[in-house]
Amino acid sequence: MPASLAAQRPLILGSTSRYRRELLARLRVPFTVSAPEVDETPQPDEAPRALALRLAHAKAQAVAAQHPQALVIGSDQVADLAGQPLGKPGTHERAVAQLRRMRGRTVLFQTAVAVVCAATGFAQTELATVEVRFRMLSDDEIERYLRAEQPYDCAGSAKSEGLGIALLDAIVSDDPTALVGLPLIHTCRLLRAAGLTLP
């Protein structure tokens, strides 16, 4: 497909995440946002990596079905602690429990991104895995951090782009935005493969 045609296709972010919206805006390509209607319940014995890949693809497909001419980006992130998925805590109490489980341990953040265009049949998904090593946090440190930043809408209960960086010993990644929720290096690669010209 000629790049000029792909460039004219609407670009849609299939996500309600403000973090993903802010990240995608860095590419300076016009886009709109559409909420995907996808059940995010893990399947029995589904590994965090497989869950992230499946949900990213499902979100992109769901929005693409409603906007067949558009290029649609879907993404999902699952925090993986020894093979067990950790979701968004939602409450202070669950965030405390998550951080207590993660202190002194390494957590893998599996961040998947999919790009789908129903009109052309393009559909590809990639995974960016980020290794995050948490410090041995005291209960007081956990409480102070959560009261200060309230990261209850973040998988793993910490925002590395904010004060949460102080909770960590190390981050190992080949895509620095993956931990925030949208791996832009992978996203750019998929968009170029779909024929979009990026600045």
Side-chain angles (χ1 to χ4, degrees):
M1 175 175 41
S4 58
L5 287 179
Q8 295 171 16
R9 291 192 182 281
L11 180 63
I12 301 176
L13 175 62
S15 174
T16 56
S17 165
R18 63 187 173 99
Y19 308 110
R20 292 191 180 107
R21 188 168 61 244
E22 290 166 2
L23 287 170
L24 187 58
R26 293 186 190 183
L27 301 184
R28 301 185 185 184
V29 176
F31 69 94
T32 57
V33 173
S34 179
E37 298 298 325
V38 171
D39 180 0
E40 299 190 27
T41 305
Q43 295 174 351
D45 300 319
E46 187 172 28
R49 173 190 180 100
L51 175 61
L53 285 164
R54 179 176 63 81
L55 290 180
H57 183 74
K59 290 174 181 179
Q61 288 281 24
V63 175
Q66 298 179 6
H67 304 276
Q69 297 301 320
L71 286 177
V72 180
I73 300 169
S75 186
D76 194 76
Q77 182 180 78
V78 180
D80 175 351
L81 178 60
Q84 296 299 310
L86 300 176
K88 298 173 184 175
T91 68
H92 181 83
E93 292 71 27
R94 285 201 288 265
V96 168
Q98 277 193 0
L99 288 174
R100 284 177 175 170
R101 284 182 66 196
M102 294 186 299
R103 60 185 167 195
R105 301 180 71 181
T106 295
V107 181
L108 301 179
F109 285 79
Q110 310 284 7
T111 308
V113 60
V115 173
V116 172
C117 180
T120 65
F122 184 89
Q124 290 186 19
T125 308
E126 292 193 11
L127 183 75
T129 300
V130 182
E131 181 181 297
V132 178
R133 295 197 292 272
F134 281 80
R135 292 174 39 249
M136 183 55 75
L137 304 167
S138 69
D139 286 351
D140 283 347
E141 285 177 307
I142 289 172
E143 187 68 23
R144 286 198 307 271
Y145 168 69
L146 292 176
R147 293 296 179 194
E149 195 149 65
Q150 301 181 10
Y152 308 133
D153 61 345
C154 298
S157 304
K159 292 183 183 179
S160 65
E161 69 275 24
L163 181 60
I165 199 73
L167 306 180
L168 309 179
D169 270 333
I171 297 173
V172 181
S173 174
D174 63 1
D175 195 331
T177 59
L179 189 53
V180 185
L182 184 66
L184 287 181
I185 292 174
H186 291 262
T187 301
C188 288
R189 181 160 53 235
L190 291 176
L191 290 174
R192 285 192 297 266
L196 188 69
T197 300
L198 294 170

